[in-house]
Amino acid sequence: MRMVDFIANKRDGLVHDDEHIKQFVTEYTNGSIPDYQASAWAMAVYFQGMTKEESAALTHAMAKSGDELDLSQIEGVKVDKHSTGGVGDKTTFILSPLVAAAGVPVAKMSGRGLGHTGGTIDKLEAFSGFQTEMTVDRFIDLVNEHKLALVGQTGNLTPADKKLYALRDVTATVNAMPLIASSVMSKKIAAGADGIVLDVKVGSGAFMSDLDAARELAQTMVQIGNELGRQTVAVLSDMDQPLGEMVGNSLEVKEAIDVLKGGGPKDVRDLSVRLAAHMLVLANKVDSVEAGEQLANELLQNGKALEAFRQFVERQGGDPTFVDNPEAFVKANHIIAVTAKEDGYVKQIHAAKIGQAAGHLGAGRMTKDEEIDHSVGVQVKKKRGDYVNAGDVLTYIHSNKEEVADVVKLIEESYTITKEHVEPLPLIMDEMLK
């Protein structure tokens, strides 16, 4: 295959065959194909798109480009959840032990985060001593024995995706829908689960702010997963405001524990239960999403999900007493209120700016070597549709520095208050079933 012909074929709207896609991924990963030719091809895909078969072939080739997690020794149907990323998204800490408590294996591979807060591993490290480094054999044994374990991503997971994403980032081709979908799904395919539930966020705090575009992405990812033999469903959920109240690392873990104890914000609980219900359906534990929600709610109410989380933390070296006493988590030195300047209804909370505010406090990192401050973040007290009076607290800033004018400004800019009554948007905006 000549790369110039590969580019020209896609430029002219032709369909690549699987072998040519595999060859492209292999040769681009090993450096045989230069960036300028891969850039030209990515731009051709941006304008011409790809068929579901092409997208599946690209996903499969990228998943095969590096390390893969073989979960075949784990008994039962292995299920996983992936979120496209949002502000205050802590559902993993709720639904993973919840699904495990139902007897369904959850073998999770997660990474660290770049952005306004840490990733799943960063947040779990709020538990003193928590470890995600272990042998594959130990990981598999934990899941077989206890139904839940979490391991850190290897450095060589989907190297083709890492290289291609970096190229897309500087060539204005990030928003090519087939390339977005293949990027996400290649990592989930390499992680080895049999069933995948996708939480596709929509709104100002999400990668996809437009509902129609989010539907297209969700449908493309579901098609890819099913084409590659993985049962896949997608839930489109609101991210036009932060999920729950807490945005930050230990703050989000504490809120997740509140939900596992039967409390916590309704939106966090409802979304976690819905996603868990889909996971239970994919694992053949229940026959319907409604039955899955009923089982999930029972496991929250009877304390079994909380106990599964406590044991999970302890098995991986974390201090389980933090689960019983969340006040033991590290706290910020200062709690600063941001108040409303006028009366009215909260019309909008620009979620991305709330995330940026948390990042400015030190909750996230811009480079992989930066340290994360687990104690800091933003607590959102007023949400869309709430009525506020001037002087009411909109948010609390949890900070280790006294001077937070830049953070206050971001939070004030994130709120839009109107005199007209505002109806909240639905939490779950659509679902794409397998």
Side-chain angles (χ1 to χ4, degrees):
M1 178 191 78
R2 292 198 318 153
M3 187 59 192
V4 67
D5 295 330
F6 189 70
I7 297 168
N9 285 344
K10 183 48 61 181
R11 177 200 66 194
D12 296 339
L14 302 180
V15 176
H16 297 315
D17 62 46
D18 290 5
E19 281 305 312
H20 283 160
I21 291 173
K22 181 179 178 181
Q23 186 177 348
F24 162 70
V25 170
T26 299
E27 293 184 4
Y28 181 57
T29 304
N30 68 27
S32 300
I33 293 172
D35 279 349
Y36 63 83
Q37 286 189 310
S39 299
W41 175 79
M43 188 62 76
V45 170
Y46 180 88
F47 285 110
Q48 295 289 6
M50 299 179 85
T51 66
K52 67 178 183 179
E53 291 80 12
E54 286 178 298
S55 296
L58 177 62
T59 302
H60 187 253
M62 291 199 298
K64 293 287 183 183
S65 68
D67 295 339
E68 294 181 90
L69 196 57
D70 182 2
L71 303 181
S72 60
Q73 296 178 57
I74 296 175
E75 302 162 4
V77 180
K78 283 74 68 178
V79 293
D80 197 4
K81 184 273 301 183
H82 174 78
S83 168
T84 57
V87 180
D89 186 7
K90 68 279 294 180
T91 59
T92 292
F93 310 124
I94 301 162
L95 60 84
S96 296
L98 200 164
V99 172
V104 173
V106 182
K108 194 152 189 64
M109 180 185 285
S110 294
R112 300 188 182 278
L114 290 177
H116 53 263
T117 61
T120 299
I121 289 177
D122 297 302
K123 292 172 185 177
L124 284 170
E125 285 177 346
F127 289 99
S128 175
F130 192 91
Q131 296 291 324
T132 57
E133 299 301 319
M134 67 184 81
T135 66
V136 173
D137 288 344
R138 170 64 175 159
F139 177 66
I140 288 171
D141 287 346
L142 281 175
V143 181
N144 273 329
E145 293 172 19
H146 306 286
K147 302 305 179 186
L148 173 61
L150 185 145
V151 67
Q153 288 179 354
T154 71
N156 196 41
L157 187 77
T158 61
D161 174 58
K162 290 185 179 72
K163 190 171 181 181
L164 187 58
Y165 187 89
L167 185 75
R168 289 164 51 213
D169 196 36
V170 295
T171 57
T173 53
V174 166
N175 290 337
M177 197 66 69
L179 302 184
I180 298 171
S182 295
S183 176
V184 171
M185 292 302 293
S186 65
K187 291 186 278 288
K188 301 319 290 181
I189 298 299
D194 302 312
I196 303 166
V197 176
L198 301 165
D199 180 12
V200 181
K201 302 294 189 185
V202 189
S204 64
F207 179 70
M208 287 288 174
S209 58
D210 178 74
L211 181 58
D212 289 338
R215 282 196 183 103
E216 183 184 351
L217 174 61
Q219 190 63 60
T220 302
M221 292 192 293
V222 168
Q223 289 173 346
I224 288 172
N226 291 331
E227 189 78 16
L228 294 176
R230 311 297 172 94
Q231 296 185 82
T232 308
V233 302
V235 173
L236 278 70
S237 65
D238 173 45
M239 189 42 68
D240 220 25
Q241 63 180 353
L243 183 65
E245 287 190 7
M246 300 298 193
V247 181
N249 296 284
S250 64
L251 293 173
E252 290 186 34
V253 174
K254 287 170 68 176
E255 187 165 82
I257 292 170
D258 285 344
V259 174
L260 288 168
K261 289 181 176 179
K266 185 177 185 300
D267 58 347
V268 180
R269 185 171 61 253
D270 288 353
L271 181 58
S272 299
V273 166
R274 189 69 173 186
L275 295 171
H278 279 291
M279 294 170 76
L280 294 171
V281 171
L282 293 185
N284 302 316
K285 188 70 178 179
V286 294
D287 295 329
S288 67
V289 174
E290 291 72 26
E293 288 188 319
Q294 182 177 346
L295 176 56
N297 280 314
E298 288 173 4
L299 293 167
L300 285 177
Q301 290 163 10
N302 63 24
K304 290 183 178 179
L306 176 67
E307 182 58 28
F309 185 64
R310 182 189 291 108
Q311 292 181 10
F312 158 68
V313 170
E314 185 171 15
R315 285 192 300 269
Q316 297 205 201
D319 186 344
T321 63
F322 283 40
V323 177
D324 300 311
N325 179 27
E327 292 308 307
F329 282 108
V330 61
K331 296 183 181 66
N333 293 324
H334 307 284
I335 298 180
I336 302 159
V338 179
T339 58
K341 297 291 190 291
E342 59 183 315
D343 301 345
Y345 293 92
V346 177
K347 181 178 181 180
Q348 183 182 19
I349 307 173
H350 196 285
K353 289 188 177 182
I354 297 291
Q356 290 165 19
H360 281 216
L361 293 166
R365 60 167 72 88
M366 292 299 108
T367 68
K368 64 180 182 180
D369 298 321
E370 281 188 64
E371 291 291 325
I372 277 179
D373 187 340
H374 286 91
S375 67
V376 301
V378 178
Q379 182 178 8
V380 179
K381 296 302 295 181
K382 296 297 182 181
K383 304 290 284 284
R384 186 177 48 223
D386 288 343
Y387 187 83
V388 298
N389 293 302
D392 285 354
V393 175
L394 299 176
T395 70
Y396 288 108
I397 297 169
H398 294 246
S399 174
N400 283 323
K401 53 186 180 181
E402 290 187 65
E403 179 50 53
V404 290
D406 57 337
V407 176
V408 171
K409 184 173 185 293
L410 277 168
I411 292 172
E412 289 177 342
E413 289 174 351
S414 73
Y415 273 84
T416 302
I417 295 176
T418 180
K419 298 298 183 185
E420 297 177 3
H421 183 264
V422 175
E423 290 291 337
L425 293 174
L427 174 63
I428 295 174
M429 309 180 83
D430 206 347
E431 292 176 299
M432 305 286 176
L433 303 181
K434 59 179 180 175

